[in-house]
Amino acid sequence: MRGMFTCGVMDVFMEHGIEFDGAVGVSAGAAFGINYKSHQPGRPLRYNKKYCNDKRYASMKSLITTGDLYNVEFCYQTLPFELDVWDTERFYADPMEFYCVVTDVRTGMAVYHRCDHSPAEDIEWIRASASIPIVSRPVEIRGNRYLDGGMSDSIPLKFMEDRGYDRNVVIETQPVDYEKKPQRNMRLIRTALHKYPGMIRAMEERYVMYNDEKAYIRSREEEGAALVIRPEAPLNIGASEKNPAELERVYLLGRVAAGRRVEEVKEYLECAD
């Protein structure tokens, strides 16, 4: 739920008419990021505050009975297509390229999917990107199985640069000096994911990948090749926060951080050819 910070940043950008040619989202960044392309500010905050205590949304019962902490039917069907509708018409009409990152459980490698197929298929890629190992089942798409993209490429600045994007705005949800530690509970992970040694390896080595990416982003920021918006201090919010006030607190931190930089972002993007 650190992604509420991202939602605050995105909403300020949308309110100021800031547009991008492309975007990539990882995990919660993918689930919430689709609202940028569908031009729906406020939507992720609204539905998370409304349903965070709803057992249909996320619960131990769902984890025990289905294998998913976040109930698949409710979160990826009922909610986006009935209760708080994802505007798919605007999403597919907008020319912005939108990618999500998933991790192939067989290889442990990142896979990048451009969401330009159909709502039924693309929502499955988004679900896979946000499916946290151990508390989510692998998501099967076209004969392959995927989990959380953050395990293989947490902050994919290089991916965007490789696609030719030379003016990138990066939204991080950890402070500049944050350093990820080695994954705890590897014994449990090895047992639960014994069929997927590639995924186990990715999780074991994730902290190295993550810290390398943070260092790369800082170097690109210092070179003026990327503009980064991040919290000044740890957000101190859980992965499945049940307090609506806490969700709004972190969202507002994102709004404040973006508000301080919005004119700088506009100027930075206008320099692009």
Side-chain angles (χ1 to χ4, degrees):
M1 284 302 158
R2 291 195 313 274
M4 286 293 102
F5 179 89
T6 304
C7 293
V9 174
M10 292 193 305
D11 283 1
V12 169
F13 284 178
M14 283 190 273
E15 290 162 8
H16 283 82
I18 295 174
E19 298 181 351
F20 296 91
D21 296 320
V24 59
V26 185
S27 196
F32 301 156
I34 59 173
N35 295 281
Y36 208 104
K37 185 172 164 65
S38 62
H39 300 268
Q40 292 180 278
R43 180 173 172 265
L45 176 67
R46 182 173 62 242
Y47 72 69
N48 274 285
K49 287 178 64 177
K50 184 173 183 178
Y51 296 109
C52 63
N53 284 297
D54 192 318
K55 292 183 179 180
R56 295 174 299 170
Y57 187 47
S59 67
M60 287 303 298
K61 180 181 178 180
S62 177
L63 178 61
I64 292 167
T65 59
T66 71
D68 291 289
L69 178 64
Y70 284 86
N71 186 271
V72 171
E73 180 65 27
F74 185 81
C75 293
Y76 296 98
Q77 293 300 321
T78 304
L79 199 161
F81 298 116
E82 297 177 23
L83 298 178
D84 198 326
V85 177
W86 171 34
D87 191 340
T88 56
E89 184 174 346
R90 292 198 72 180
F91 181 89
Y92 292 105
D94 189 281
M96 182 178 77
E97 294 183 347
F98 187 87
Y99 298 87
C100 66
V101 186
V102 300
T103 302
D104 186 315
V105 298
R106 180 180 58 85
T107 65
M109 302 298 291
V111 174
Y112 307 89
H113 170 75
R114 180 174 175 181
C115 295
D116 62 356
H117 291 61
S118 69
E121 179 172 344
D122 289 334
I123 200 72
E124 286 296 282
W125 286 98
I126 296 296
R127 175 164 78 95
S129 184
S131 290
I132 304 169
I134 307 300
V135 295
S136 306
R137 294 169 294 169
V139 180
E140 185 167 337
I141 305 172
R142 300 184 185 181
N144 295 310
R145 292 183 175 185
Y146 305 102
L147 281 170
D148 190 342
M151 300 299 118
S152 53
D153 193 352
S154 296
I155 319 172
L157 174 58
K158 287 185 179 179
F159 168 75
M160 294 301 280
E161 291 178 337
D162 289 345
R163 293 202 59 82
Y165 290 99
D166 59 2
R167 289 276 165 174
N168 293 290
V169 177
V170 182
I171 305 173
E172 294 186 349
T173 59
Q174 294 283 13
V176 65
D177 59 352
Y178 174 78
E179 182 175 322
K180 188 171 286 296
K181 305 301 182 184
Q183 177 69 51
R184 295 180 295 175
N185 303 319
M186 280 307 303
R187 182 177 296 180
L188 171 63
I189 290 167
R190 290 189 187 97
T191 300
L193 298 175
H194 66 276
K195 295 181 181 179
Y196 310 116
M199 191 70 198
I200 294 171
R201 183 177 63 254
M203 295 183 70
E204 200 165 30
E205 299 174 355
R206 186 195 179 198
Y207 77 102
V208 177
M209 172 272 295
Y210 182 93
N211 293 333
D212 285 349
E213 290 191 342
K214 285 276 285 186
Y216 178 74
I217 288 167
R218 286 196 299 271
S219 70
R220 297 298 282 164
E221 182 181 24
E222 290 167 1
E223 294 166 1
L227 191 152
V228 186
I229 296 180
R230 57 173 73 88
E232 295 180 353
L235 295 172
N236 295 324
I237 190 168
S240 56
E241 179 61 57
K242 301 294 186 182
N243 185 346
E246 279 296 286
L247 298 175
E248 182 149 10
R249 175 185 67 82
V250 173
Y251 168 81
L252 291 174
L253 288 174
R255 288 194 62 94
V256 170
R260 291 171 177 164
R261 308 281 301 279
V262 67
E263 294 304 322
E264 182 184 356
V265 170
K266 288 181 179 180
E267 183 177 344
Y268 174 74
L269 295 175
E270 287 171 359
C271 291
D273 292 331

